[in-house]
Amino acid sequence: LQILQKGLQAHLPNNRALRPIEVRIAGYDESGWAMKLSQLNQPNQLGTDTGYPLKVVYVGKVAAAAFLAGLDVLIVPSKAAETFCNVAMEAAACGVPSIVSDQGALPERVHHGATGWIFKAGDAEQLYQQIIGCLQHPEQVQEKAQAAWALRGESDAQQQIAAYHQVIQQLLTAR
């Protein structure tokens, strides 16, 4: 929430029209924090420092493809080491660029500056700057979306199986 309330207006050109920002939180919410955040949608409680009309919506468990296809940018601010990160690959397959932390496999799924952006886990300022960049330069978001969609075959299951098969064959041959 602090990231969203740091004065986005100050970073935008004066002539740029402010479009509404909707933050959608999906998945399980065992602690209840996402639901509490979504209930802050009262005027003067959320987004007052940003200058943007801002709305937070907790959508719960979703069908991934439909949810991701409706996003402009996926943000995965994980502090935990992700082992594979299907969501970033699924977003790319839907033509959605990602902003991800540098934890675990996340940087392997996003090509910084090409299909999305990578920030240091826990660095709210760096994440904030990347979000500001998306707001200031929607054309770059679109370029990254096209690049992400073009690379969707990189994670094709058949390609991965073929690569594993090749490694296994090399190991057997080396014996």
Side-chain angles (χ1 to χ4, degrees), residues 6 17 40 58 65 67 83-84 89 98 101-102 114 145 147 159 162 165 171 174:
K6 288 186 79 170
L40 291 177
Y58 172 60
F67 177 75
T83 57
F84 194 70
M89 292 176 18
S98 296
S101 71
D102 62 356
Q159 288 180 342
H165 182 71
L171 290 172

mmCIF file of all heavy atoms in Angstrom, residues 6 17 40 58 65 67 83-84 89 98 101-102 114 145 147 159 162 165 171 174:
data_model
loop_
_atom_site.group_PDB
_atom_site.id
_atom_site.type_symbol
_atom_site.label_atom_id
_atom_site.label_comp_id
_atom_site.label_asym_id
_atom_site.label_seq_id
_atom_site.Cartn_x
_atom_site.Cartn_y
_atom_site.Cartn_z
ATOM 1 N N LYS A 6 2.800 6.792 -2.752
ATOM 2 C CA LYS A 6 4.011 7.594 -2.654
ATOM 3 C C LYS A 6 4.013 8.815 -3.558
ATOM 4 O O LYS A 6 5.051 9.388 -3.805
ATOM 5 C CB LYS A 6 5.223 6.729 -2.966
ATOM 6 C CG LYS A 6 5.521 5.753 -1.855
ATOM 7 C CD LYS A 6 6.776 5.020 -2.115
ATOM 8 C CE LYS A 6 7.954 5.888 -1.771
ATOM 9 N NZ LYS A 6 9.213 5.182 -1.765
ATOM 10 N N ALA A 17 -3.356 12.312 -19.029
ATOM 11 C CA ALA A 17 -4.607 12.044 -18.324
ATOM 12 C C ALA A 17 -4.421 10.857 -17.396
ATOM 13 O O ALA A 17 -3.766 9.884 -17.749
ATOM 14 C CB ALA A 17 -5.710 11.748 -19.335
ATOM 15 N N LEU A 40 -10.636 -1.070 1.826
ATOM 16 C CA LEU A 40 -10.206 0.320 1.995
ATOM 17 C C LEU A 40 -10.604 1.192 0.813
ATOM 18 O O LEU A 40 -10.073 2.278 0.647
ATOM 19 C CB LEU A 40 -8.685 0.397 2.170
ATOM 20 C CG LEU A 40 -8.129 -0.158 3.461
ATOM 21 C CD1 LEU A 40 -6.608 -0.076 3.432
ATOM 22 C CD2 LEU A 40 -8.667 0.598 4.651
ATOM 23 N N TYR A 58 -10.084 -7.877 -4.203
ATOM 24 C CA TYR A 58 -9.647 -9.246 -3.911
ATOM 25 C C TYR A 58 -10.606 -10.172 -4.632
ATOM 26 O O TYR A 58 -11.796 -10.184 -4.345
ATOM 27 C CB TYR A 58 -9.645 -9.520 -2.406
ATOM 28 C CG TYR A 58 -9.386 -10.970 -2.090
ATOM 29 C CD1 TYR A 58 -8.211 -11.586 -2.487
ATOM 30 C CD2 TYR A 58 -10.328 -11.737 -1.424
ATOM 31 C CE1 TYR A 58 -7.975 -12.918 -2.227
ATOM 32 C CE2 TYR A 58 -10.102 -13.066 -1.148
ATOM 33 C CZ TYR A 58 -8.922 -13.652 -1.549
ATOM 34 O OH TYR A 58 -8.696 -14.976 -1.305
ATOM 35 N N ALA A 65 -5.913 -18.266 -16.908
ATOM 36 C CA ALA A 65 -5.855 -17.649 -18.237
ATOM 37 C C ALA A 65 -6.788 -16.446 -18.333
ATOM 38 O O ALA A 65 -6.394 -15.385 -18.828
ATOM 39 C CB ALA A 65 -6.176 -18.673 -19.315
ATOM 40 N N PHE A 67 -8.018 -14.596 -15.883
ATOM 41 C CA PHE A 67 -7.554 -13.542 -14.982
ATOM 42 C C PHE A 67 -6.360 -12.811 -15.577
ATOM 43 O O PHE A 67 -6.331 -11.582 -15.662
ATOM 44 C CB PHE A 67 -7.186 -14.130 -13.617
ATOM 45 C CG PHE A 67 -6.629 -13.123 -12.658
ATOM 46 C CD1 PHE A 67 -7.455 -12.205 -12.031
ATOM 47 C CD2 PHE A 67 -5.276 -13.088 -12.377
ATOM 48 C CE1 PHE A 67 -6.943 -11.257 -11.147
ATOM 49 C CE2 PHE A 67 -4.748 -12.155 -11.491
ATOM 50 C CZ PHE A 67 -5.591 -11.247 -10.876
ATOM 51 N N THR A 83 10.276 -21.773 -6.985
ATOM 52 C CA THR A 83 10.982 -22.891 -7.616
ATOM 53 C C THR A 83 10.758 -22.981 -9.117
ATOM 54 O O THR A 83 11.618 -23.448 -9.850
ATOM 55 C CB THR A 83 10.562 -24.229 -6.980
ATOM 56 O OG1 THR A 83 9.143 -24.361 -7.103
ATOM 57 C CG2 THR A 83 10.975 -24.286 -5.518
ATOM 58 N N PHE A 84 9.627 -22.535 -9.603
ATOM 59 C CA PHE A 84 9.364 -22.615 -11.043
ATOM 60 C C PHE A 84 8.604 -21.396 -11.544
ATOM 61 O O PHE A 84 8.837 -20.922 -12.621
ATOM 62 C CB PHE A 84 8.593 -23.894 -11.368
ATOM 63 C CG PHE A 84 8.589 -24.216 -12.833
ATOM 64 C CD1 PHE A 84 9.747 -24.637 -13.463
ATOM 65 C CD2 PHE A 84 7.439 -24.079 -13.586
ATOM 66 C CE1 PHE A 84 9.760 -24.922 -14.817
ATOM 67 C CE2 PHE A 84 7.439 -24.365 -14.937
ATOM 68 C CZ PHE A 84 8.601 -24.796 -15.552
ATOM 69 N N MET A 89 5.125 -17.475 -16.381
ATOM 70 C CA MET A 89 5.066 -18.115 -17.700
ATOM 71 C C MET A 89 3.659 -18.036 -18.276
ATOM 72 O O MET A 89 3.475 -17.794 -19.468
ATOM 73 C CB MET A 89 5.534 -19.562 -17.602
ATOM 74 C CG MET A 89 7.005 -19.675 -17.299
ATOM 75 S SD MET A 89 7.645 -21.350 -17.040
ATOM 76 C CE MET A 89 6.451 -22.426 -17.718
ATOM 77 N N SER A 98 5.591 -9.008 -16.936
ATOM 78 C CA SER A 98 5.633 -9.171 -15.487
ATOM 79 C C SER A 98 6.701 -8.291 -14.857
ATOM 80 O O SER A 98 7.749 -8.045 -15.453
ATOM 81 C CB SER A 98 5.951 -10.623 -15.124
ATOM 82 O OG SER A 98 4.939 -11.486 -15.564
ATOM 83 N N SER A 101 10.268 -10.205 -8.525
ATOM 84 C CA SER A 101 11.443 -10.065 -7.659
ATOM 85 C C SER A 101 12.545 -10.982 -8.184
ATOM 86 O O SER A 101 12.322 -11.832 -9.049
ATOM 87 C CB SER A 101 11.091 -10.409 -6.214
ATOM 88 O OG SER A 101 10.867 -11.796 -6.076
ATOM 89 N N ASP A 102 13.721 -10.810 -7.628
ATOM 90 C CA ASP A 102 14.883 -11.581 -8.070
ATOM 91 C C ASP A 102 15.041 -12.908 -7.329
ATOM 92 O O ASP A 102 16.124 -13.465 -7.279
ATOM 93 C CB ASP A 102 16.157 -10.745 -7.927
ATOM 94 C CG ASP A 102 16.443 -10.338 -6.488
ATOM 95 O OD1 ASP A 102 15.622 -10.631 -5.584
ATOM 96 O OD2 ASP A 102 17.497 -9.709 -6.261
ATOM 97 N N ALA A 114 13.082 -6.763 -21.549
ATOM 98 C CA ALA A 114 12.555 -7.289 -22.811
ATOM 99 C C ALA A 114 11.116 -7.782 -22.658
ATOM 100 O O ALA A 114 10.224 -7.349 -23.379
ATOM 101 C CB ALA A 114 13.440 -8.417 -23.326
ATOM 102 N N ALA A 145 4.713 -6.643 -23.621
ATOM 103 C CA ALA A 145 3.622 -7.605 -23.761
ATOM 104 C C ALA A 145 3.784 -8.398 -25.056
ATOM 105 O O ALA A 145 3.647 -9.625 -25.066
ATOM 106 C CB ALA A 145 2.270 -6.888 -23.741
ATOM 107 N N ALA A 147 6.584 -8.876 -26.717
ATOM 108 C CA ALA A 147 7.778 -9.713 -26.590
ATOM 109 C C ALA A 147 7.502 -10.932 -25.714
ATOM 110 O O ALA A 147 7.960 -12.040 -26.013
ATOM 111 C CB ALA A 147 8.939 -8.901 -26.013
ATOM 112 N N GLN A 159 8.855 -29.096 -25.657
ATOM 113 C CA GLN A 159 10.256 -28.686 -25.767
ATOM 114 C C GLN A 159 11.036 -29.082 -24.523
ATOM 115 O O GLN A 159 12.184 -29.513 -24.604
ATOM 116 C CB GLN A 159 10.363 -27.180 -25.994
ATOM 117 C CG GLN A 159 9.933 -26.735 -27.365
ATOM 118 C CD GLN A 159 10.048 -25.234 -27.534
ATOM 119 O OE1 GLN A 159 10.125 -24.489 -26.565
ATOM 120 N NE2 GLN A 159 10.058 -24.787 -28.780
ATOM 121 N N ALA A 162 11.667 -32.824 -24.611
ATOM 122 C CA ALA A 162 12.724 -33.129 -25.578
ATOM 123 C C ALA A 162 14.103 -32.778 -25.010
ATOM 124 O O ALA A 162 15.074 -33.520 -25.205
ATOM 125 C CB ALA A 162 12.470 -32.379 -26.877
ATOM 126 N N HIS A 165 15.024 -35.399 -22.474
ATOM 127 C CA HIS A 165 15.356 -36.633 -23.192
ATOM 128 C C HIS A 165 16.779 -36.550 -23.750
ATOM 129 O O HIS A 165 17.550 -37.515 -23.660
ATOM 130 C CB HIS A 165 14.342 -36.879 -24.315
ATOM 131 C CG HIS A 165 14.581 -38.132 -25.072
ATOM 132 N ND1 HIS A 165 14.358 -39.380 -24.522
ATOM 133 C CD2 HIS A 165 15.028 -38.347 -26.332
ATOM 134 C CE1 HIS A 165 14.662 -40.304 -25.404
ATOM 135 N NE2 HIS A 165 15.068 -39.699 -26.513
ATOM 136 N N LEU A 171 23.803 -38.554 -21.020
ATOM 137 C CA LEU A 171 24.318 -39.209 -19.817
ATOM 138 C C LEU A 171 24.490 -40.713 -20.045
ATOM 139 O O LEU A 171 25.482 -41.297 -19.604
ATOM 140 C CB LEU A 171 23.378 -38.948 -18.629
ATOM 141 C CG LEU A 171 23.353 -37.520 -18.100
ATOM 142 C CD1 LEU A 171 22.247 -37.360 -17.074
ATOM 143 C CD2 LEU A 171 24.702 -37.141 -17.519
ATOM 144 N N ALA A 174 27.505 -41.349 -22.277
ATOM 145 C CA ALA A 174 28.780 -41.066 -21.628
ATOM 146 C C ALA A 174 29.249 -42.199 -20.745
ATOM 147 O O ALA A 174 30.427 -42.277 -20.399
ATOM 148 C CB ALA A 174 28.668 -39.781 -20.787
#
